[in-house]
Amino acid sequence: MTASTTVLPTATQATTQVLAQAAESSTASTFQFLYFGLHGRGELIRTLLTYGGAKYDELALDWPGMKKDTPFGVLPVLYETTSDGTVLELAESQAIEHYLARKFNLMGANSWENHLVDRYYTSMETLSNNFIKVMFAPLEKRQTEAEIFYRDHLPRWIAAHEHHLTKNGTNGHYVGDQFSLADLKTAMMIERIQFLVPKGMEEQVAALFSAEATPGLWKVKETVNAHPHIAEWKKSERHTQIDAGTKGFFKF
Ligand SMILES: N[C@@H](CCC(=O)N[C@@H](CS)C(=O)NCC(=O)O)C(=O)O
């Protein structure tokens, strides 16, 4: 990632076919990312760009001024400039994640693997929606919401993932021995749960995931975090800023 710029890129106006051709034939795209200084819906997109070794920077944000110029009036938005200079505007976090995952060969090697990747990736949706209740709960209700999350929602999700990961050999991956979108999303989800901890619940949360309690998930997290691009990104100043922005925004 490099320094930020201030002007929104102008998406190339052309037919779908022309844009598809530019995207498919691009040998060295560059990316510009527009999101808040939070992890949120930007976290996996930043991780994917990092994993893929993409050249990208983050656009400086003037949200009220820019809102009307984004496809759905919400963030994130990603701009891709292809090697022939075409500018593609990508919107909707999950659509962007799938687009990048396909580009970086993270969707499995065949239809069944593709289904598995999508299935374990998508299973995070329900978990995230329940975790969001903890994140947005009024401070006096946060512990109660968190108890419900740790006791009722998380164990079911852990059991389903451990069952599959054991069948794949507890090797740090959901399909074969290759990285996939599901690997990256799981590592992100575990980190988010361990990062946004309600006060007084630190010990309880620390015990939720470990090599002993959740060997499959633990191995996925370790494997993703050991990837050199991701390890470097996590140590970066920008990542530290986003950590602080996220904790500050949600008052953790
Ligand atoms: N379905 C959209 C939802 C995007 C969304 O709700 N973004 C929030 C931030 S996470 C936003 O832009 N809020 C500012 C606003 O609505 O003005 C996606 O997944 O990208």
Side-chain angles (χ1 to χ4, degrees):
M1 204 189 71
T2 55
S4 58
T5 53
T6 48
V7 183
L8 275 189
T10 306
T12 301
Q13 298 304 310
T15 62
T16 305
Q17 289 81 354
V18 167
L19 297 179
Q21 170 66 21
E24 285 305 308
S25 60
S26 181
T27 47
S29 290
T30 56
F31 295 86
Q32 291 170 297
F33 188 46
L34 190 64
Y35 192 62
F36 304 99
L38 307 169
H39 289 305
R41 288 188 165 94
E43 187 172 4
L44 188 54
I45 296 170
R46 289 184 178 109
T47 305
L48 282 158
L49 290 164
T50 301
Y51 169 86
K55 273 196 192 155
Y56 84 99
D57 62 14
E58 297 214 23
L59 294 161
L61 189 62
D62 158 25
W63 182 230
M66 290 172 165
K67 187 173 167 80
K68 64 176 181 354
D69 297 323
T70 59
F72 297 105
V74 286
L75 295 178
V77 175
L78 181 68
Y79 299 90
E80 175 179 4
T81 305
T82 64
S83 45
D84 72 354
T86 301
V87 178
L88 302 160
E89 181 186 59
L90 292 98
E92 284 295 317
S93 56
Q94 294 186 21
I96 299 171
E97 288 161 12
H98 269 105
Y99 180 86
L100 293 174
R102 188 159 179 265
K103 202 178 250 311
F104 300 137
N105 296 320
L106 289 168
M107 292 308 296
N110 51 52
S111 299
W112 179 241
E113 286 195 359
N114 184 273
H115 169 70
L116 291 173
V117 171
D118 253 348
R119 158 176 159 164
Y120 290 100
Y121 160 89
T122 307
S123 79
M124 238 82 69
E125 184 73 12
T126 313
L127 194 70
S128 282
N129 287 342
N130 287 310
F131 191 60
I132 282 168
K133 289 183 196 155
V134 180
M135 290 161 72
F136 282 100
L139 289 185
E140 68 279 10
K141 295 209 173 125
R142 188 170 268 172
Q143 283 213 5
T144 312
E145 282 295 338
E147 281 295 354
I148 295 169
F149 177 77
Y150 302 142
R151 188 193 60 222
D152 295 346
H153 300 295
L154 191 57
R156 197 176 313 132
W157 179 85
I158 288 176
H161 281 247
E162 283 294 330
H163 179 72
H164 170 74
L165 290 165
T166 304
K167 286 201 293 183
N168 200 51
T170 316
N171 64 355
H173 300 291
Y174 281 84
V175 287
D177 58 359
Q178 302 296 314
F179 278 99
S180 74
L181 180 62
D183 299 358
L184 300 191
K185 183 137 188 177
T186 280
M188 186 203 84
M189 194 65 217
I190 295 173
E191 297 232 338
R192 192 179 296 177
I193 291 167
Q194 291 187 315
F195 181 66
L196 297 176
V197 182
K199 287 208 168 33
M201 301 182 99
E202 291 80 4
E203 268 186 40
Q204 187 178 347
V205 173
L208 292 172
F209 298 98
S210 68
E212 294 73 32
T214 57
L217 289 163
W218 193 253
K219 183 78 177 164
V220 170
K221 179 175 116 101
E222 302 249 285
T223 306
V224 169
N225 288 344
H227 186 282
H229 294 174
I230 293 175
E232 196 183 330
W233 161 235
K234 294 224 152 147
K235 283 189 284 184
S236 69
E237 201 183 318
R238 178 64 181 148
H239 194 275
T240 307
Q241 278 173 0
I242 299 172
D243 273 353
T246 305
K247 279 207 167 159
F249 184 81
F250 291 106
K251 299 190 172 62
F252 273 87

